[in-house]
Each structure stands twice: as C-alpha cells, then as structure tokens.
Amino acid sequence: MEIDEELEYQLGEVTRKTHDMEIPVMIIIEGPPASGKSRLSNALYMALDAKYTDFIATRPARGIDLRYPFMQRFWNHLPKAGDINIHFRSWYAQYIEYKEAGITENVAVDYGEIAEDMQNFEKMLHNNGYEVLKFYVNTSEEVRQRHLEKLKENPVLKWKAEEFEENLELFNYEEEMQDFVEEDQLIPWTEIDFENKNEAINTMFSTIIEKLEARIEKENTTPVPRIVSDFTRYFETELFTFDFEKEKIEKSEYKDILPDLQLKMREIQFRLYQHKIPLILVYEGMDAAGKGGNIKRTRERLDPTGYTVNAISAPTDMELAHHYLWRFATSIPRSGHIGFFDRSWYGRVLVERVEGFASQKEWTQAYDEIKDFEKSLCNSGAVILKFFLSLDKDEQLKRFEKREDNIEKQWKITSEDWRNREKWDRYLEASEDMIKKTDTDYAPWHIIPGNDKRYARIEVLKKIISACEKVLEDE
Amino acid sequence: MEIDEELEYQLGEVTRKTHDMEIPVMIIIEGPPASGKSRLSNALYMALDAKYTDFIATRPARGIDLRYPFMQRFWNHLPKAGDINIHFRSWYAQYIEYKEAGITENVAVDYGEIAEDMQNFEKMLHNNGYEVLKFYVNTSEEVRQRHLEKLKENPVLKWKAEEFEENLELFNYEEEMQDFVEEDQLIPWTEIDFENKNEAINTMFSTIIEKLEARIEKENTTPVPRIVSDFTRYFETELFTFDFEKEKIEKSEYKDILPDLQLKMREIQFRLYQHKIPLILVYEGMDAAGKGGNIKRTRERLDPTGYTVNAISAPTDMELAHHYLWRFATSIPRSGHIGFFDRSWYGRVLVERVEGFASQKEWTQAYDEIKDFEKSLCNSGAVILKFFLSLDKDEQLKRFEKREDNIEKQWKITSEDWRNREKWDRYLEASEDMIKKTDTDYAPWHIIPGNDKRYARIEVLKKIISACEKVLEDE
C-alpha cells in the first residue's frame, strides 16, 4: 500500500483551516518501544506546516523537572491558538514511568490522584476549545520483535535496540496503557496497528482529517452565544460583614510583633526549602486594599533566591492566545520555593466576569477548572493559601484621594481604578461567589479585614506561619 | 545609616520611565558567599515594580542545562523591551563554576574562548539598546566571617552557613572575579562593600539611578538617524554565476542515490546523538528556491524525537520586543540533536535590510553579531552548516506560475512573493554581502545551484554527511 497523496493534501488543507480559525490542536502518540511510532510521527510531522507545528518528545523526567508539578512540562508546551502540537509520548508515558520507578519527589499523594489530574487536564482542554486527538500504536509483539531484530543488524543502531529492550523490561508500559485505552475516557483513543507502515499512516491521517473537519463544521454551524455575566440587582453580602472598628492594631504593638514574625517567616522559608515543599500564596482584593504592601512585609526578610513575586496585569497577546491558566501554570514555584501572586488566576471569575471579557459559560466553568488546577498542584506537594484583602467603600475612597494628593504615589492611581470603583457591588458579588465556590480544604481562602493595614499584615503573616508549621510538623 | 526613602522613590520613578521608554535593563549582582548580596538584591527586588521586574537566581548548571550552549540560560531569560532583570549571579558565576569543576559537556574548546563569548554577548546587548549594570559585592573577609558566624547560631539556618563554607573551599570564585572586575571590560563593574547594609543599599540605588538617568537623557537628546539601506545601482553578482545547465541530475540516478544518502543521514543522526554533538542546519535562498522540499528529503528517514524544524515567518509582538537573535537562540537544538532552520537569523541582513525594517546601523553591525553568535554555539560544541539555495529569475517565475496553476499548491504563493520578486536585485546584493561577510571556517556557507531541485537535494545531503563524518572521525 502506498501513502495516499490525496490524504496528505487534505491533511494540509484541514490544518491550514484550523490554523486560520485559531483552533489549537494536540495530537498525542503513545505506543510501546519498537511499535513504529517514530516513523508514524515523522510522517505526520513532515505533512504538517512547520510554521505552526511543534514536535514535542517527552523524555524521561530528570533533575530539575522533578522539582515542578507533575503536569508542568505539558503546561509549558501548551499550543497557542491555531498551533499544532505532536506529543510523542505524553503525560501517560510520564505517569507510567513515575509510577513504575516509584518517583515521589513531586508526587505527594497516591498515583490514583495523579491519574485523575490527567483526566481533569484533558477535560479542561476540551472545554476550552482545544482539539485533543489521542493515538495508541498497538502493534503486535511479533512485528515489534521484527523491528528490533532489524535494528540490531545495523552496528550504528544496535545500541538503540538495546535501549528499547531495557525499557521493555523496566516498565510495565503496555499493560498500563492498555488499561487507559480501554477506560471510558472523555477523549477516546484511536488504536493503530503498524504491521503495514503506509496503511498505518493513512489511517492516522484520515482519522485526523475526519475529526478536524467535524470540529470545523461544528464551529461554523453552532453560533457561540456570548451571554455576559448576570448580577444580583440589589446584592447583599454575607461574607464581608465584619466590624472594621474592631480589627485594628496599635502602631507600637505592630512595631513590636512584626520583626519577630518576619524572622519566623525567614525560618519557614528555609525549612520549606529543606523539605522541598513549594508554597503558593495568592492575594486578591479590592483596589487599594493593600496587597502590595502586605506582600512586601512578608517578603522583607526572605532570601530572594527562593521566592518570586508575580504581579499580574492585563494579559499580553501571547497570553491571550493561550488557555487562561497558562500564564499562571508556567509561573508556579519549584519545590522548596515560594511564589507570591499579587492577583492571580482568579481574574477569570473577577475582572473577566465583571467586565464581560469571559462569557457566562467560561467563567462559570472556571470555578471547577480552578479547583482542579489547585488540586493538581497540591497533589504534587504544594501548600496553597489564598487571601482576600477586604476594605470598605469609604476607606477605598480615602486611599484613592490620598494617592492623588501625594506626588510620590500618583502613579499608583489611574482612571481605571475610578471606573472599577463604580462597579463596586459587582466586584463584591463576584468576590463572594468566588470565595464560596473555591474555598477547599486543600487551598482555603482567608478573608482579611484590611481597613487597618497593620492588622491585615500581621494577620496574613500569622496565617502563613501557622499553616506552614502544621505542614512541617508532619514531615 | 538609614535607607534613603528619597532614593527609593527616585529609583521607582526612573525605572517607570525606562519601562515606558521600552529600554530593557539587566542588573547583575555577583559576590562571594556571605558577602551580603542576597540582602542587597532583596532590597532592590522590593524597590522595583514586580509587574516588569524578574529576579533570576542562577543556580548551578545541572542535567539538561549542560545539553545546551553555555549562554543558553541567559538567552532564555533575556528581558523584553521595558523589563528589568535582576541577575543574582550571572554568566560570570557560571563560568567560574564550569571552569573550576572542569565541566566540558557543552564546552568544546578552552575556557578562554568562553570568556570571550561572554564579552561579545555584553557588547551585543549594549549595541542593541540593553542597559547592563554590573555590581560586585566586595565585602571584607572579616565581615563575611561575621555573617557566617551569625548564621551558624541559628539552628534552622546552620546548614546554609555550611553550604557557604563548602562553596568557599570548592571554588576559586573570589580570585577569578577579582580578575574580571579589574579587567578592562566594555561595561565596567561597580564595587559595593556590605560592611554597612544601608549604606550599601544606598550606593547601589544611587548608582542605578545615575546610570539610568544618563541613558534617558541621551535617548531624549540624541535623535537616532534611521537611514535605510543603500544598494548598488547596477549590481553585478560575483558569487551567483554558475551555469545552471551543468548542475543537473537525472531522475533515474536521483532515485538510485537518494535512499542510500537518507539512510546514511539516519546513521549520522544516531552517531551525533551518541557523541552528544548538536547539528545546526541553516537554509536561506530566494523564494521558491526549494528550501522546504530540500529539508524534507534530508529529514525523511530521521528519528523525529531527535530533530526540530524551525520554519521562520514574521516575528510576533513578543519576538519584536526582544533582541532579534532571541527567537533563534532559544530554539537551538540540545546536544546530540539536529535543528533545521528554514530561514534564520540571517533575516536581519536580508529581508530586514531590503525592506528597511532594520536601520543601516543595525544590519551593518549584525554581521559581526551573527558571527559572534555562531562562534559561541561552536564553542559549545555545535556543528553549523549554512546553505544558500540559489535559482535564476526565470526559473523562479516558472515556479511561481506553476504554483498558481496548481490548486493543491496555491496556498504556497502570495502577493508578497510577487512583491519580493520585484526587488530581486536588492535581495541578490544583500545575499551576496551576507555570504561574503559571514562565511567562516567554523560556520561555512555553501551556495547550492537550485534550478534543478534533485541536484540541490543530493548536494546538500552529501555536504551534511561529509562534514559530519569529518567531525565524527575526530571523536
């Protein structure tokens, strides 16, 4: 059987269309050693336009890889709108390697949880417009043996055959993969037999063409309703009801406590480092609630080589062309490090909801996506704390006016801040929904009354220290 | 002495200006262990706006790092226009670590060459508008000893003191750095004594303010002349003068030779992989000269997990905000891999020159920058081959028309191709200048007559194979 040139042309056509329509495509190719998956992948790689195609060979995780969450490498490589990734081996191969080799360095819980993270990851891609195609090259043992023998005949390639055989002995890859392929997954597998090379290539090409054409058809016929967020007409808060007058701390007391807490925080940093535990600190809150100053007090005595501050502003073009979690997922601190997020992925359900940048469907499904995302970080060993700095509307006004009057702080206040203030109730409602829907035991929210900045700073430091000490006790 | 709040404010002001003016800033902080450089760096990190500041701690190179060129990690982290990098340790620390530890994995030549690459790198940054500031924290042995003793008193931090002491014994850091600091470098070092912490911070802040203000002043008073390229009125080529009629190969002969050469190429790939030699293949040439098809024949039998094809189109916003070499430097194949570049960094002296995207100053200085860049890749062990596929103007016309007539190939031809064709002579002159100025013994150009595609494919394959075999013989 010949390679069908008409199929090759159609594949080029359909992927030029998905490129123009800005549909991101991920093609996963798994298969045991010597099954023929590299020849198959090469035929695919050659047929696609290199301008928007990336070939990503997942090599075994080593060294620095192990200091990041399990899914990190795949987040890093997520295709942007219109691009195509060929994943030669994927999170499945990595999962099996980890499990069989008993790697626990960035896996804090049992492997069942990681397998669930993988399915959540695929669901999230699917629900956000990613076209994910999964192929399993299921070639008979006999044919694979033939491939191996042929490799061995060539003195230059002999070592590769030996490597294959070693891998076969080491890992239970086939059996584990078979379970995955037979499982009832949201995105099903297409099995391909490589007994006849060209037939295998034709099968793969026509499967991709068919699925992408169906997607394009659907895109063209199903108009996407862009309902913008609904809000309660007269919203009354349940969560933000503290008596700010009581949540105060005197300056003298503050000056007394702060240095000790900061030193304690420094010790926590080094102990987390020694135990390779990553700490993720998320700060949300109204404009002028004091997030930056709060973070500043916490980081003041820290070793800067062990933490990063991610101050989030509007996404760049490149970030907009990716999944909304991408810019955050690629900034997660590695094990033993601390990552501050001054605003975060919660922008999806706050500013994007209020301003209508995300559709109702998008921000509604984001609650679960964010919970799954945070869970996957915890499954890889992270400690997550989330702070919502609250202040009342009068106090915000005072701070805005103070900023405008002070020449050294004028840059901090823009017309956008004033516009946001007009939507105070909507931000409040969005914040309350967010906290109610994403407060979990593995990544809890702490609402911090922030009318008194000193009080808020001390509170946050205390909460971080006590949560970390609890975790470190168990180590 | 107190930290000067006025200085902190001024530092904020001046960096908001460099941000708005899109000046990229790199602040390098070197210093021996326990010299106080982390406290100094933290003060700086805290004083700058996290929205455009990155803190980059250069950890020792391990594992996968060693499979990339020496400067790779710094290329990866290059700040984009308007951003600020704080480099806590830099290429200097990495150089000393490599040298003292005797790392040769991605250093093919002697260390003197690497030291020269570092200076070339800084010169290139400087000449392309990067503001590079270098600090050496030069604290007396006595004060450092005091810091160490204090660390040791704290049971949680004791291990850090021990790590410091180990490093002190291992590396000859201080002596080597002293040589660098005293050297006559294009960008001089500022030495800072940390005996008094706040004085050190004030010194650093005022140095940065002074240098950035001078830069802003210069930017505002010196208009940049944007002279666009000059070309010879009646250009006559010296290089592209072959008799195309002679450079031909019959179809039957082609079908005979090609499969063997492709298999040979596959063997070369595996041998390069075994010897961890990276191979960089650059393809330039007129539109429709057959670059894509040529690359296709070379990669046809290769293992796709060991090569990448970089098909270069117009830069994205993110790429435009970086140094013009950035998008290429971050796509260099790792050791043992092959990187195809279908068009390349030579765009700077071809399309950017002809279309006036680069000023005369910019493309003129690019010849040396490109040579230095390629040299640094070779110094890290790479083999580089550059092919210029040539064809004559009539043959190009034939191919353009053929593409327009063939429904399956229409997407390959755009109005831009026709516009480029009108500038044939200018592209020819730019190409000839390029080849004359960047043909080196470590990264030679091969001009390939391409009127006959079969001939060109065979020629390129033969050249790659013979160059690689020569290198592999010496291994």
Side-chain angles (χ1 to χ4, degrees):
Chain A
M1 195 187 234
E2 291 270 298
I3 297 185
D4 189 337
E5 282 190 15
E6 173 63 19
L7 278 180
E8 206 176 324
Y9 166 66
Q10 281 178 22
L11 184 62
E13 276 291 294
V14 76
T15 48
R16 271 190 290 282
K17 272 188 210 156
T18 54
H19 176 70
D20 291 342
M21 293 170 79
E22 304 202 330
I23 298 169
V25 178
M26 294 166 83
I27 302 170
I28 288 166
I29 301 170
E30 289 279 357
S35 59
K37 70 178 181 302
S38 30
R39 273 164 294 173
L40 193 61
S41 312
N42 201 40
L44 178 62
Y45 190 19
M46 297 231 307
L48 301 175
D49 193 329
K51 282 214 166 74
Y52 41 79
T53 306
D54 262 343
F55 191 92
I56 294 148
T58 303
R59 51 180 175 71
R62 297 273 180 276
I64 196 84
D65 303 324
L66 299 173
R67 305 222 17 213
Y68 287 95
F70 183 86
M71 292 307 282
Q72 182 77 31
R73 298 201 286 173
F74 307 105
W75 273 113
N76 288 348
H77 282 127
L78 215 59
K80 68 171 193 294
D83 282 1
I84 304 171
N85 274 2
I86 303 171
H87 287 275
F88 182 92
R89 292 189 295 255
S90 65
W91 37 95
Y92 290 95
Q94 176 168 298
Y95 170 87
I96 295 168
E97 191 216 345
Y98 271 50
K99 194 175 162 190
E100 300 284 321
I103 292 173
T104 56
E105 204 168 329
N106 60 355
V107 179
V109 297
D110 61 292
Y111 283 95
E113 300 273 344
I114 301 287
E116 214 172 285
D117 289 341
M118 286 165 26
Q119 293 310 307
N120 287 336
F121 184 70
E122 291 183 14
K123 187 175 77 188
M124 175 207 68
L125 293 174
H126 177 81
N127 288 342
N128 285 274
Y130 284 72
E131 198 59 41
V132 183
L133 308 174
K134 288 153 50 178
F135 292 94
Y136 183 57
V137 188
N138 198 358
T139 309
S140 72
E141 177 102 36
E142 193 199 327
V143 174
R144 277 153 48 202
Q145 212 54 50
R146 232 188 292 145
H147 289 165
L148 274 181
E149 295 308 322
K150 221 180 140 192
L151 268 186
K152 278 190 208 163
E153 282 165 21
N154 187 331
V156 179
L157 301 181
K158 206 169 153 255
W159 64 273
K160 201 171 164 72
E162 284 160 8
E163 204 183 89
F164 276 160
E165 281 177 338
E166 252 173 57
N167 282 338
L168 280 176
E169 278 169 31
L170 265 178
F171 299 123
N172 211 3
Y173 177 87
E174 241 188 298
E175 209 171 292
E176 294 263 9
M177 269 314 296
Q178 210 58 57
D179 286 349
F180 280 128
V181 171
E182 282 162 19
E183 221 174 63
D184 183 29
Q185 298 189 339
L186 176 72
I187 299 165
W189 292 85
T190 303
E191 291 183 71
I192 290 191
D193 188 341
F194 200 76
E195 178 141 19
N196 179 307
K197 178 186 159 193
N198 292 345
E199 195 180 319
I201 292 174
N202 291 341
T203 307
M204 172 176 236
F205 283 10
S206 51
T207 308
I208 297 174
I209 293 165
E210 193 187 305
K211 296 207 172 178
L212 293 186
E213 274 178 352
R215 168 63 186 272
I216 290 166
E217 172 70 16
K218 198 179 140 211
E219 206 85 3
N220 285 337
T221 51
T222 322
V224 182
R226 273 203 62 89
I227 306 162
V228 167
S229 178
D230 57 349
F231 285 95
T232 310
R233 186 123 187 219
Y234 301 104
F235 174 70
E236 295 233 22
T237 177
E238 283 174 22
L239 291 180
F240 305 115
T241 53
F242 11 67
D243 179 355
F244 281 113
E245 284 311 302
K246 281 191 188 159
E247 321 290 5
K248 272 190 173 170
I249 199 167
E250 286 310 312
K251 196 167 183 177
S252 58
E253 196 191 341
Y254 173 75
K255 287 215 160 181
D256 220 36
I257 319 174
L258 185 68
D260 285 345
L261 288 173
Q262 288 180 326
L263 269 187
K264 193 94 200 141
M265 189 63 217
R266 183 175 155 83
E267 284 193 17
I268 293 280
Q269 182 188 27
F270 284 106
R271 288 168 66 198
L272 289 171
Y273 182 79
Q274 279 182 293
H275 290 94
K276 295 196 173 170
I277 299 168
L279 173 64
I280 298 169
L281 300 170
V282 172
Y283 296 76
E284 293 287 352
M286 295 300 188
D287 289 330
K291 294 186 297 296
N294 200 302
I295 293 173
K296 208 163 174 175
R297 296 326 177 280
T298 300
R299 62 193 272 222
E300 193 150 17
R301 297 298 303 269
L302 298 186
D303 185 322
T305 65
Y307 77 83
T308 44
V309 181
N310 305 279
I312 305 306
S313 35
T316 63
D317 289 355
M318 189 53 110
E319 288 163 350
L320 277 175
H322 280 86
H323 189 278
Y324 71 95
L325 286 175
W326 177 74
R327 59 175 174 151
F328 307 105
T330 52
S331 303
I332 293 300
R334 66 169 177 275
S335 64
H337 284 234
I338 301 174
F340 292 90
F341 287 88
D342 184 349
R343 300 202 187 278
S344 69
W345 42 91
Y346 283 101
R348 186 70 163 184
V349 296
L350 296 174
V351 56
E352 290 193 43
R353 170 181 172 186
V354 174
E355 304 296 338
F357 300 148
S359 70
Q360 178 121 3
K361 175 180 173 291
E362 283 171 331
W363 63 259
T364 309
Q365 77 185 23
Y367 295 121
D368 278 343
E369 288 167 354
I370 286 173
K371 276 195 287 184
D372 289 341
F373 173 60
E374 291 176 352
K375 187 150 180 290
S376 75
L377 299 177
C378 292
N379 286 343
S380 288
V383 175
I384 306 182
L385 293 171
K386 301 180 298 199
F387 299 102
F388 190 89
L389 299 197
S390 172
L391 83 174
D392 67 24
K393 217 174 161 181
D394 294 342
E395 177 64 24
Q396 189 188 52
L397 182 64
K398 253 190 255 165
R399 291 186 189 176
F400 276 14
E401 285 170 348
K402 210 172 148 197
R403 283 182 181 182
E404 290 205 322
D405 290 343
N406 182 342
I407 186 166
E408 297 201 356
K409 291 197 168 172
Q410 273 171 7
W411 62 273
K412 276 190 163 186
I413 179 118
T414 65
S415 54
E416 204 188 316
D417 294 319
W418 289 105
R419 278 199 303 277
N420 289 346
R421 185 174 159 79
E422 282 168 25
K423 296 174 185 156
W424 177 273
D425 283 347
R426 297 193 157 200
Y427 273 102
L428 206 67
E429 184 172 356
S431 302
E432 184 151 325
D433 284 349
M434 165 187 87
I435 293 171
K436 282 183 179 165
K437 289 191 195 245
T438 61
D439 185 33
T440 56
D441 51 349
Y442 52 85
W445 274 108
H446 298 281
I447 305 178
I448 307 286
N451 269 24
D452 181 55
K453 285 180 182 177
R454 291 190 291 266
Y455 175 86
R457 290 166 188 168
I458 298 293
E459 272 302 289
V460 166
L461 262 165
K462 280 184 180 167
K463 289 235 158 28
I464 299 172
I465 291 168
S466 94
C468 291
E469 278 185 336
K470 204 171 287 172
V471 172
L472 286 163
E473 259 169 38
D474 298 341
E475 284 294 309
Chain B
M1 193 189 235
E2 290 271 299
I3 298 185
D4 189 336
E5 283 191 13
E6 173 63 19
L7 279 179
E8 206 175 326
Y9 166 66
Q10 282 178 22
L11 183 61
E13 276 291 294
V14 77
T15 48
R16 272 189 290 283
K17 272 188 210 155
T18 54
H19 176 70
D20 291 342
M21 293 170 78
E22 304 201 330
I23 298 169
V25 178
M26 295 166 83
I27 302 170
I28 289 166
I29 301 171
E30 289 279 358
S35 59
K37 69 177 181 306
S38 34
R39 273 164 292 171
L40 193 61
S41 313
N42 201 39
L44 178 62
Y45 190 19
M46 298 232 306
L48 301 175
D49 193 329
K51 282 213 165 74
Y52 42 79
T53 306
D54 262 343
F55 191 93
I56 295 145
T58 304
R59 50 180 176 74
R62 297 272 180 277
I64 196 85
D65 303 324
L66 299 173
R67 305 220 19 212
Y68 287 96
F70 183 85
M71 292 307 283
Q72 182 76 31
R73 298 201 285 172
F74 307 105
W75 273 112
N76 288 349
H77 282 127
L78 216 57
K80 69 172 192 294
D83 283 0
I84 304 170
N85 274 2
I86 303 171
H87 287 275
F88 182 93
R89 292 189 295 256
S90 65
W91 39 94
Y92 290 96
Q94 176 168 298
Y95 170 87
I96 296 168
E97 191 216 346
Y98 270 50
K99 193 175 161 191
E100 299 284 321
I103 292 172
T104 56
E105 203 167 330
N106 61 354
V107 179
V109 297
D110 60 293
Y111 282 95
E113 300 273 343
I114 301 289
E116 213 172 287
D117 288 342
M118 286 165 26
Q119 293 310 306
N120 287 337
F121 184 69
E122 291 183 14
K123 187 175 76 188
M124 177 208 66
L125 293 174
H126 177 82
N127 288 342
N128 285 275
Y130 284 72
E131 199 58 42
V132 182
L133 307 174
K134 288 153 51 177
F135 292 94
Y136 183 59
V137 189
N138 198 357
T139 308
S140 72
E141 177 102 37
E142 194 199 323
V143 175
R144 275 152 51 202
Q145 212 54 49
R146 232 188 292 145
H147 289 166
L148 274 181
E149 294 309 321
K150 221 180 140 191
L151 268 185
K152 279 189 204 163
E153 282 165 23
N154 187 330
V156 180
L157 302 181
K158 206 169 153 253
W159 65 273
K160 200 171 164 72
E162 284 160 7
E163 205 182 88
F164 275 160
E165 281 176 338
E166 251 173 58
N167 282 339
L168 280 176
E169 277 168 33
L170 264 177
F171 298 123
N172 211 2
Y173 176 87
E174 239 187 301
E175 209 170 291
E176 294 263 10
M177 270 313 295
Q178 210 58 56
D179 287 348
F180 280 128
V181 171
E182 283 162 18
E183 221 173 64
D184 183 28
Q185 298 188 340
L186 175 72
I187 298 165
W189 291 85
T190 302
E191 291 183 71
I192 290 190
D193 188 341
F194 201 76
E195 177 141 18
N196 178 305
K197 179 186 159 194
N198 292 345
E199 197 181 317
I201 292 174
N202 290 342
T203 308
M204 172 176 238
F205 283 10
S206 52
T207 308
I208 297 174
I209 292 164
E210 194 186 305
K211 297 207 172 179
L212 294 186
E213 274 178 352
R215 169 64 187 273
I216 290 165
E217 172 69 16
K218 198 180 140 210
E219 206 86 2
N220 285 337
T221 52
T222 323
V224 183
R226 274 203 63 87
I227 307 162
V228 167
S229 180
D230 58 350
F231 285 95
T232 310
R233 188 126 185 216
Y234 301 103
F235 175 69
E236 294 233 22
T237 178
E238 283 173 22
L239 291 180
F240 306 114
T241 53
F242 11 66
D243 180 356
F244 281 113
E245 284 312 303
K246 282 192 186 155
E247 321 291 4
K248 273 190 172 170
I249 199 167
E250 286 310 312
K251 197 167 185 176
S252 58
E253 196 192 340
Y254 173 75
K255 287 216 160 181
D256 220 35
I257 319 174
L258 185 68
D260 285 345
L261 288 173
Q262 287 179 327
L263 269 188
K264 193 90 200 145
M265 188 64 217
R266 183 175 154 84
E267 283 193 17
I268 293 279
Q269 181 187 29
F270 283 107
R271 288 169 65 199
L272 289 172
Y273 182 79
Q274 278 182 295
H275 289 95
K276 296 197 172 169
I277 299 168
L279 173 63
I280 298 169
L281 300 170
V282 172
Y283 296 77
E284 293 287 351
M286 295 299 188
D287 288 330
K291 294 187 296 296
N294 201 301
I295 293 173
K296 208 164 174 174
R297 296 325 177 280
T298 299
R299 62 194 273 224
E300 193 150 16
R301 296 298 303 269
L302 298 186
D303 185 321
T305 65
Y307 78 83
T308 43
V309 181
N310 305 279
I312 306 305
S313 34
T316 63
D317 290 355
M318 188 53 109
E319 288 163 350
L320 277 176
H322 280 87
H323 188 279
Y324 71 95
L325 286 174
W326 178 74
R327 60 175 174 150
F328 308 105
T330 52
S331 302
I332 294 300
R334 66 171 179 274
S335 64
H337 284 234
I338 301 174
F340 292 90
F341 288 88
D342 185 349
R343 300 204 187 276
S344 68
W345 43 90
Y346 284 100
R348 186 70 162 185
V349 296
L350 295 174
V351 55
E352 290 192 45
R353 170 182 173 186
V354 174
E355 304 295 339
F357 301 148
S359 71
Q360 178 121 3
K361 176 181 172 292
E362 284 170 331
W363 63 259
T364 310
Q365 76 185 25
Y367 296 120
D368 278 343
E369 288 167 355
I370 287 173
K371 275 195 288 183
D372 289 341
F373 173 60
E374 291 176 352
K375 188 150 181 291
S376 75
L377 298 178
C378 292
N379 286 342
S380 288
V383 174
I384 305 181
L385 294 171
K386 302 180 299 201
F387 298 102
F388 189 89
L389 299 198
S390 173
L391 83 174
D392 67 25
K393 218 175 160 181
D394 294 342
E395 177 65 24
Q396 189 189 51
L397 183 64
K398 254 190 251 164
R399 292 187 189 175
F400 276 13
E401 286 170 347
K402 209 172 149 199
R403 283 181 180 182
E404 290 205 322
D405 289 343
N406 182 344
I407 186 166
E408 297 202 355
K409 290 197 168 170
Q410 274 170 6
W411 63 273
K412 276 188 163 187
I413 179 119
T414 65
S415 53
E416 205 188 315
D417 295 319
W418 288 105
R419 277 198 303 277
N420 290 345
R421 185 174 158 79
E422 282 168 24
K423 297 173 185 156
W424 177 273
D425 283 347
R426 297 192 157 201
Y427 273 101
L428 206 66
E429 183 172 356
S431 302
E432 185 151 324
D433 285 347
M434 165 187 87
I435 292 171
K436 283 182 178 167
K437 289 191 195 246
T438 61
D439 185 33
T440 56
D441 51 348
Y442 51 84
W445 275 108
H446 298 280
I447 305 178
I448 307 286
N451 270 24
D452 181 56
K453 286 181 182 178
R454 292 190 290 266
Y455 175 85
R457 291 167 187 166
I458 297 293
E459 273 301 289
V460 166
L461 262 165
K462 280 183 180 168
K463 289 234 157 30
I464 299 172
I465 291 167
S466 94
C468 290
E469 277 185 336
K470 205 171 287 174
V471 172
L472 285 163
E473 259 169 37
D474 298 340
E475 284 293 308

